[in-house]
Coordinates of all heavy atoms in Angstrom, one line a residue:
I5 N -49.9 76.0 121.2 CA -48.7 75.4 120.7 C -48.7 75.7 119.2 O -49.6 75.3 118.5 CB -48.7 73.9 121.0 CG1 -48.7 73.6 122.5 CG2 -47.4 73.3 120.4 CD1 -48.8 72.1 122.8
F6 N -47.6 76.2 118.7 CA -47.4 76.5 117.3 C -46.5 75.4 116.7 O -45.3 75.3 117.1 CB -46.9 77.9 117.0 CG -47.9 78.9 117.6 CD1 -47.7 79.5 118.8 CD2 -49.0 79.3 116.9 CE1 -48.6 80.3 119.4 CE2 -50.0 80.2 117.4 CZ -49.7 80.7 118.7
G7 N -47.0 74.6 115.7 CA -46.2 73.6 115.1 C -46.7 72.2 115.5 O -46.8 71.9 116.7
G8 N -47.1 71.4 114.5 CA -47.7 70.1 114.8 C -46.8 69.0 114.3 O -47.3 68.0 113.7
G9 N -45.5 69.1 114.6 CA -44.6 68.0 114.4 C -44.6 67.1 115.6 O -45.4 67.3 116.5
V10 N -43.6 66.2 115.7 CA -43.5 65.3 116.9 C -43.4 66.1 118.2 O -44.0 65.8 119.2 CB -42.4 64.3 116.7 CG1 -42.1 63.5 118.0 CG2 -42.6 63.4 115.5
A11 N -42.6 67.2 118.1 CA -42.3 68.0 119.4 C -43.7 68.6 119.8 O -44.0 68.5 121.0 CB -41.3 69.0 119.1
G12 N -44.3 69.3 118.9 CA -45.6 70.0 119.3 C -46.7 69.0 119.7 O -47.4 69.3 120.7
L13 N -46.8 67.9 119.1 CA -47.8 66.9 119.4 C -47.5 66.2 120.7 O -48.4 66.0 121.6 CB -48.0 65.9 118.3 CG -48.5 66.4 116.9 CD1 -48.5 65.3 115.9 CD2 -49.8 67.1 117.1
Y29 N -51.6 74.8 116.7 CA -51.8 75.5 115.4 C -50.7 75.0 114.5 O -49.5 75.3 114.7 CB -51.7 77.0 115.6 CG -52.7 77.5 116.6 CD1 -52.4 77.6 118.0 CD2 -54.0 77.9 116.1 CE1 -53.4 78.1 118.9 CE2 -55.0 78.4 117.0 CZ -54.6 78.5 118.4 OH -55.6 78.9 119.3
E30 N -51.1 74.4 113.4 CA -50.1 73.9 112.4 C -50.3 74.5 111.1 O -51.5 74.6 110.6 CB -50.3 72.3 112.3 CG -49.7 71.7 111.1 CD -48.2 72.0 110.9 OE1 -47.4 71.8 111.9 OE2 -47.8 72.3 109.7
K31 N -49.3 75.0 110.5 CA -49.4 75.8 109.2 C -49.9 75.0 108.0 O -50.6 75.4 107.1 CB -48.2 76.6 108.9 CG -47.1 75.8 108.2 CD -46.0 76.8 107.7 CE -44.9 75.9 107.1 NZ -43.8 76.7 106.6
R32 N -49.5 73.7 108.0 CA -49.8 72.9 106.8 C -51.1 72.1 107.0 O -51.7 72.1 108.1 CB -48.7 71.8 106.6 CG -47.4 72.5 106.2 CD -46.2 71.5 106.2 NE -46.4 70.5 105.1 CZ -45.8 69.3 105.2 NH1 -45.0 68.9 106.2 NH2 -45.9 68.5 104.2
V34 N -51.4 69.0 106.7 CA -51.1 67.7 107.3 C -50.2 67.9 108.6 O -49.5 68.9 108.7 CB -50.3 66.8 106.4 CG1 -51.1 66.2 105.3 CG2 -49.0 67.5 105.9
L35 N -50.4 67.0 109.5 CA -49.6 67.1 110.8 C -48.3 66.3 110.6 O -48.2 65.5 109.6 CB -50.3 66.5 111.9 CG -51.6 67.2 112.4 CD1 -52.3 66.4 113.5 CD2 -51.2 68.6 113.0
G36 N -47.3 66.4 111.5 CA -46.2 65.5 111.5 C -44.9 66.2 111.1 O -43.8 65.7 111.3
G37 N -44.9 67.4 110.5 CA -43.7 68.1 110.1 C -42.8 67.3 109.3 O -43.2 66.8 108.2
K38 N -41.6 67.1 109.7 CA -40.6 66.3 108.9 C -40.9 64.8 108.8 O -40.3 64.1 108.1 CB -39.2 66.5 109.5 CG -38.7 67.9 109.3 CD -37.2 68.1 109.6 CE -36.9 69.0 110.8 NZ -37.6 70.2 110.8
V39 N -41.9 64.4 109.7 CA -42.3 63.0 109.6 C -43.6 62.9 108.8 O -44.2 61.8 108.7 CB -42.5 62.4 111.0 CG1 -42.6 60.9 111.0 CG2 -41.4 62.8 111.9
S40 N -44.1 64.0 108.3 CA -45.4 63.9 107.7 C -45.5 63.0 106.4 O -44.5 62.9 105.7 CB -45.9 65.4 107.3 OG -45.0 65.9 106.4
E51 N -43.9 60.1 101.6 CA -43.2 60.4 102.9 C -42.3 61.6 102.8 O -41.5 61.6 101.8 CB -42.5 59.2 103.5 CG -43.4 58.0 103.6 CD -42.8 56.8 104.4 OE1 -41.8 57.1 105.2 OE2 -43.3 55.7 104.3
S52 N -42.2 62.4 103.8 CA -41.2 63.5 103.8 C -39.8 62.9 103.8 O -38.9 63.5 103.3 CB -41.4 64.4 105.0 OG -42.7 64.9 105.1
G53 N -39.7 61.8 104.5 CA -38.4 61.1 104.5 C -38.5 59.7 105.1 O -39.4 59.5 106.0
L54 N -37.7 58.8 104.7 CA -37.6 57.5 105.3 C -37.3 57.6 106.8 O -36.3 58.3 107.1 CB -36.6 56.6 104.6 CG -36.3 55.3 105.2 CD1 -37.5 54.4 105.2 CD2 -35.1 54.6 104.5
H55 N -38.1 57.1 107.7 CA -37.8 57.2 109.1 C -37.7 55.9 109.8 O -38.5 55.0 109.6 CB -39.0 58.0 109.8 CG -38.8 59.5 109.7 ND1 -39.1 60.2 108.6 CD2 -38.3 60.4 110.6 CE1 -38.8 61.5 108.8 NE2 -38.3 61.6 110.0
V56 N -36.6 55.7 110.5 CA -36.4 54.5 111.3 C -36.3 54.9 112.8 O -35.9 56.0 113.1 CB -35.2 53.6 110.9 CG1 -35.4 53.1 109.5 CG2 -33.9 54.4 111.0
V57 N -36.6 53.9 113.6 CA -36.6 54.1 115.0 C -35.5 53.3 115.6 O -35.2 52.2 115.1 CB -37.9 53.6 115.6 CG1 -38.0 53.7 117.1 CG2 -39.1 54.4 115.0
F58 N -34.7 53.8 116.6 CA -33.7 53.0 117.3 C -34.3 52.3 118.5 O -35.2 52.9 119.1 CB -32.6 53.9 117.8 CG -31.5 54.1 116.9 CD1 -31.2 55.4 116.4 CD2 -30.7 53.1 116.4 CE1 -30.2 55.7 115.6 CE2 -29.6 53.4 115.5 CZ -29.4 54.7 115.1
Y61 N -34.7 54.5 121.5 CA -35.6 55.6 121.5 C -36.7 55.3 122.6 O -37.8 55.0 122.3 CB -36.3 55.8 120.2 CG -35.6 56.5 119.1 CD1 -34.2 56.8 119.3 CD2 -36.2 56.9 117.9 CE1 -33.5 57.5 118.3 CE2 -35.5 57.5 116.9 CZ -34.2 57.8 117.1 OH -33.5 58.5 116.1
L64 N -39.8 57.9 122.8 CA -40.8 57.7 121.7 C -41.6 56.4 121.9 O -42.8 56.4 121.8 CB -40.1 57.6 120.3 CG -40.9 57.9 119.1 CD1 -41.3 59.4 119.1 CD2 -40.2 57.5 117.8
A174 N -26.6 59.7 106.7 CA -28.0 59.2 107.1 C -28.4 60.0 108.3 O -29.6 60.3 108.5 CB -27.9 57.7 107.4
L175 N -27.4 60.3 109.2 CA -27.8 61.0 110.5 C -28.1 62.4 110.3 O -29.1 62.9 111.0 CB -26.5 60.8 111.3 CG -26.6 60.8 112.8 CD1 -27.4 59.6 113.2 CD2 -25.2 60.6 113.4
F177 N -27.3 64.3 107.1 CA -27.3 64.6 105.7 C -26.1 65.5 105.3 O -26.1 66.2 104.3 CB -28.6 65.3 105.3 CG -29.8 64.7 106.0 CD1 -30.8 65.5 106.6 CD2 -30.1 63.4 105.9 CE1 -31.9 65.0 107.2 CE2 -31.2 62.8 106.5 CZ -32.1 63.6 107.2
M215 N -48.0 56.5 113.8 CA -47.6 57.3 115.0 C -48.3 58.7 115.0 O -48.9 59.0 116.1 CB -46.1 57.6 114.9 CG -45.6 58.6 116.0 SD -43.8 58.8 116.0 CE -43.5 59.7 114.5
A234 N -53.1 76.9 109.9 CA -53.1 78.0 110.9 C -51.6 78.4 111.1 O -50.9 77.8 111.9 CB -53.7 77.5 112.1
R235 N -51.1 79.3 110.3 CA -49.7 79.7 110.4 C -49.5 80.9 111.3 O -50.1 81.9 111.2 CB -49.2 80.1 109.0 CG -47.7 80.5 109.0 CD -47.1 80.5 107.6 NE -47.6 81.7 106.8 CZ -47.1 82.9 106.9 NH1 -46.1 83.1 107.8 NH2 -47.5 83.9 106.2
L236 N -48.6 80.7 112.2 CA -48.2 81.8 113.1 C -47.4 82.8 112.3 O -46.5 82.5 111.6 CB -47.3 81.2 114.2 CG -46.6 82.3 115.1 CD1 -47.6 83.0 116.0 CD2 -45.5 81.6 116.0
K237 N -47.9 84.1 112.4 CA -47.2 85.1 111.6 C -46.3 85.9 112.6 O -45.1 86.2 112.2 CB -48.3 86.1 111.0 CG -47.7 87.1 110.1 CD -48.8 87.8 109.4 CE -48.2 89.0 108.6 NZ -49.0 90.2 108.7
L252 N -52.2 85.0 113.7 CA -52.1 84.0 112.6 C -52.0 84.8 111.2 O -52.5 85.9 111.1 CB -53.2 83.1 112.6 CG -53.4 82.2 113.9 CD1 -54.5 81.2 113.7 CD2 -52.1 81.4 114.2
A266 N -43.2 75.2 118.7 CA -42.7 73.9 118.3 C -42.3 73.9 116.8 O -42.4 72.9 116.1 CB -43.7 72.8 118.6
L267 N -42.0 75.2 116.4 CA -41.6 75.4 115.0 C -40.2 74.8 114.8 O -39.4 74.8 115.7 CB -41.6 76.9 114.7 CG -42.9 77.5 114.1 CD1 -44.1 77.2 115.0 CD2 -42.7 79.0 114.1
P268 N -39.8 74.5 113.5 CA -38.4 74.2 113.3 C -37.6 75.5 113.5 O -38.2 76.6 113.3 CB -38.3 73.8 111.8 CG -39.7 73.9 111.3 CD -40.6 74.4 112.3
V269 N -36.3 75.4 113.8 CA -35.6 76.6 114.2 C -35.6 77.6 113.1 O -35.7 78.9 113.3 CB -34.2 76.2 114.7 CG1 -33.3 75.6 113.7 CG2 -33.5 77.5 115.3
H270 N -35.5 77.2 111.8 CA -35.4 78.2 110.7 C -36.7 79.0 110.6 O -36.8 80.1 110.2 CB -35.0 77.6 109.4 CG -36.0 76.7 108.8 ND1 -36.1 75.3 109.1 CD2 -37.0 76.9 107.9 CE1 -37.1 74.8 108.4 NE2 -37.7 75.7 107.7
S271 N -37.9 78.3 110.9 CA -39.2 79.0 110.9 C -39.3 79.9 112.1 O -39.9 81.0 112.0 CB -40.3 78.0 110.9 OG -40.2 77.1 109.8
F272 N -38.8 79.5 113.2 CA -39.0 80.3 114.5 C -38.2 81.6 114.3 O -38.6 82.6 114.8 CB -38.6 79.5 115.7 CG -38.7 80.3 117.0 CD1 -39.9 80.9 117.3 CD2 -37.5 80.5 117.8 CE1 -40.0 81.6 118.5 CE2 -37.6 81.2 118.9 CZ -38.8 81.8 119.3
V275 N -40.0 84.6 113.2 CA -41.1 85.2 114.0 C -40.6 85.7 115.4 O -41.4 86.1 116.2 CB -42.3 84.2 114.2 CG1 -43.0 83.9 112.9 CG2 -41.9 83.0 115.0
S295 N -30.1 71.5 107.2 CA -29.5 70.7 106.2 C -30.4 70.4 105.1 O -31.6 70.0 105.3 CB -29.2 69.3 106.8 OG -27.9 69.1 107.1
V297 N -32.0 68.1 102.2 CA -32.1 66.7 102.0 C -33.3 66.4 101.1 O -34.2 67.3 100.9 CB -32.4 65.9 103.4 CG1 -33.7 66.2 104.0 CG2 -32.2 64.4 103.2
A298 N -33.3 65.3 100.4 CA -34.4 64.9 99.5 C -34.7 63.4 99.7 O -33.9 62.6 100.1 CB -34.0 65.1 98.0
N299 N -36.0 63.1 99.5 CA -36.4 61.7 99.7 C -37.0 61.2 98.4 O -37.9 61.9 97.8 CB -37.5 61.6 100.8 CG -37.6 60.2 101.3 OD1 -36.6 59.7 101.9 ND2 -38.7 59.6 101.1
L314 N -32.8 48.4 107.1 CA -32.3 49.6 106.5 C -31.0 49.2 105.8 O -30.2 48.4 106.2 CB -31.9 50.6 107.7 CG -31.5 52.0 107.3 CD1 -32.7 52.7 106.6 CD2 -31.1 52.8 108.5
L351 N -35.7 56.1 99.5 CA -34.3 56.4 99.6 C -34.0 57.9 100.0 O -34.7 58.8 99.5 CB -33.6 56.3 98.2 CG -33.9 55.0 97.4 CD1 -34.9 55.2 96.3 CD2 -32.6 54.4 96.8
V352 N -33.1 58.0 101.0 CA -32.8 59.4 101.5 C -31.5 59.8 100.7 O -30.5 59.2 100.7 CB -32.4 59.4 103.0 CG1 -32.1 60.8 103.4 CG2 -33.6 58.8 103.8
L353 N -31.7 61.0 100.0 CA -30.6 61.5 99.1 C -29.8 62.5 99.9 O -30.4 63.6 100.3 CB -31.2 62.1 97.8 CG -32.3 61.3 97.1 CD1 -32.6 62.0 95.8 CD2 -31.9 59.8 96.8
V393 N -39.3 64.3 97.2 CA -39.7 65.4 98.1 C -38.4 66.1 98.5 O -37.5 65.4 98.9 CB -40.4 64.9 99.4 CG1 -40.7 66.0 100.4 CG2 -41.7 64.1 99.1
I395 N -36.4 68.9 100.8 CA -36.5 69.8 102.0 C -35.3 70.6 102.1 O -34.2 70.1 102.5 CB -36.7 68.9 103.3 CG1 -37.9 67.9 103.1 CG2 -36.9 69.8 104.5 CD1 -38.2 67.1 104.3
E397 N -34.4 73.0 104.0 CA -33.9 73.2 105.4 C -34.6 72.2 106.3 O -35.7 72.4 106.7 CB -34.3 74.6 105.9 CG -33.5 75.7 105.2 CD -33.9 77.1 105.7 OE1 -35.0 77.5 105.4 OE2 -33.1 77.7 106.5
S398 N -33.9 71.1 106.5 CA -34.5 70.1 107.4 C -33.9 70.2 108.8 O -33.8 71.3 109.3 CB -34.3 68.7 106.8 OG -32.9 68.3 106.8
V399 N -33.4 69.1 109.3 CA -32.8 69.2 110.7 C -31.6 70.1 110.6 O -30.9 70.3 109.6 CB -32.3 67.8 111.2 CG1 -33.5 66.9 111.4 CG2 -31.4 67.2 110.2
C423 N -40.0 74.3 122.2 CA -39.6 72.9 122.1 C -39.3 72.6 120.6 O -39.4 73.5 119.7 CB -40.7 71.9 122.6 SG -42.2 71.9 121.6
G424 N -38.8 71.4 120.3 CA -38.4 71.1 118.9 C -37.1 70.3 119.1 O -36.4 70.4 120.1
D425 N -36.8 69.5 118.0 CA -35.6 68.6 118.1 C -34.3 69.3 118.3 O -33.4 68.7 118.8 CB -35.5 67.7 116.8 CG -35.4 68.6 115.5 OD1 -35.3 69.8 115.6 OD2 -35.3 68.0 114.4
Y426 N -34.2 70.6 118.0 CA -33.0 71.4 118.1 C -32.8 71.9 119.6 O -31.7 72.3 119.9 CB -32.9 72.5 117.1 CG -33.9 73.6 117.5 CD1 -33.6 74.8 118.2 CD2 -35.3 73.5 117.1 CE1 -34.5 75.7 118.5 CE2 -36.2 74.4 117.4 CZ -35.8 75.6 118.1 OH -36.8 76.5 118.4
L432 N -29.7 63.9 119.4 CA -29.5 64.7 118.2 C -30.9 65.1 117.7 O -31.9 64.6 118.2 CB -28.9 63.8 117.1 CG -28.0 62.6 117.5 CD1 -27.8 61.7 116.4 CD2 -26.8 63.2 118.1
A433 N -30.9 65.9 116.6 CA -32.2 66.2 116.0 C -32.8 64.9 115.4 O -32.2 64.3 114.5 CB -31.9 67.2 114.9
S434 N -33.9 64.5 116.0 CA -34.4 63.2 115.6 C -35.8 63.1 116.2 O -36.2 64.0 117.0 CB -33.6 62.1 116.3 OG -33.6 62.2 117.7
M435 N -36.6 62.1 115.9 CA -37.9 61.9 116.5 C -37.8 61.8 118.0 O -38.6 62.3 118.7 CB -38.6 60.7 115.9 CG -38.9 60.8 114.4 SD -39.7 59.3 113.8 CE -38.4 58.1 113.8
E436 N -36.8 61.0 118.4 CA -36.6 60.9 119.9 C -36.3 62.2 120.5 O -36.8 62.5 121.6 CB -35.5 59.9 120.1 CG -35.1 59.7 121.6 CD -36.1 58.8 122.4 OE1 -37.2 58.5 121.8 OE2 -35.9 58.6 123.6
G437 N -35.4 63.0 119.9 CA -35.1 64.3 120.4 C -36.3 65.2 120.5 O -36.5 65.9 121.5
A438 N -37.1 65.1 119.5 CA -38.3 66.0 119.4 C -39.3 65.5 120.5 O -39.9 66.4 121.2 CB -39.0 65.8 118.1
A439 N -39.4 64.2 120.7 CA -40.3 63.7 121.8 C -39.8 64.1 123.2 O -40.6 64.5 124.1 CB -40.5 62.2 121.7
S441 N -38.1 66.7 123.9 CA -38.3 68.1 124.0 C -39.7 68.4 124.4 O -40.0 69.4 125.1 CB -37.8 68.9 122.8 OG -38.8 68.9 121.8
Ligands
FAD1 C1 -35.5 62.9 105.2 C2 -35.5 62.8 106.7 C3 -35.2 61.6 107.3 C4 -35.2 61.5 108.7 N1 -35.0 60.3 109.2 C5 -35.1 60.2 110.6 C6 -35.0 58.9 111.2 O1 -34.8 57.9 110.5 N2 -35.1 58.8 112.5 C7 -35.2 59.9 113.3 O2 -35.3 59.8 114.6 N3 -35.3 61.1 112.8 C8 -35.3 61.3 111.4 N4 -35.4 62.5 110.9 C9 -35.5 63.7 111.8 C10 -36.9 63.9 112.3 O3 -37.8 63.9 111.3 C11 -37.0 65.3 113.0 O4 -35.9 65.5 113.9 C12 -38.2 65.5 113.8 O5 -39.3 65.0 113.1 C13 -38.4 67.0 114.1 O6 -39.6 67.2 114.8 P1 -40.0 68.6 115.3 O7 -41.4 68.5 115.8 O8 -39.0 69.2 116.2 O9 -40.0 69.6 114.0 P2 -40.8 69.5 112.7 O10 -41.1 68.1 112.3 O11 -40.1 70.3 111.7 O12 -42.2 70.1 113.0 C14 -42.4 71.5 113.0 C15 -43.8 71.9 112.6 O13 -44.0 73.3 112.6 C16 -44.8 73.7 111.5 N5 -44.6 75.1 111.3 C17 -43.5 75.7 110.7 N6 -43.8 77.1 110.7 C18 -45.0 77.3 111.2 C19 -45.7 78.4 111.5 N7 -45.2 79.7 111.2 N8 -46.9 78.3 112.2 C20 -47.4 77.1 112.5 N9 -46.7 75.9 112.2 C21 -45.5 76.0 111.6 C22 -44.3 72.8 110.4 O14 -45.2 72.7 109.3 C23 -44.1 71.5 111.1 O15 -45.3 70.7 111.1 C24 -35.4 62.7 109.5 C25 -35.7 63.9 108.9 C26 -35.7 64.0 107.5 C27 -36.0 65.3 106.9

Side-chain angles (χ1 to χ4, degrees):
I5 300 177
F6 300 96
V10 172
L13 296 177
Y29 300 92
E30 163 56 47
K31 80 167 178 185
R32 295 171 67 202
V34 288
L35 291 173
K38 292 191 241 317
V39 193
S40 58
E51 301 192 21
S52 302
L54 172 65
H55 276 78
V56 295
V57 176
F58 272 118
Y61 280 10
L64 200 71
L175 207 58
F177 321 129
M215 177 175 70
R235 181 168 73 81
L236 170 67
K237 188 174 170 218
L252 297 184
L267 271 49
V269 63
H270 68 271
S271 304
F272 179 56
V275 297
S295 251
V297 69
N299 200 67
L314 189 65
L351 310 103
V352 180
L353 315 185
V393 176
I395 308 183
E397 290 179 287
S398 71
V399 292
C423 67
D425 60 2
Y426 68 97
L432 332 165
S434 59
M435 293 182 286
E436 176 73 355
S441 80

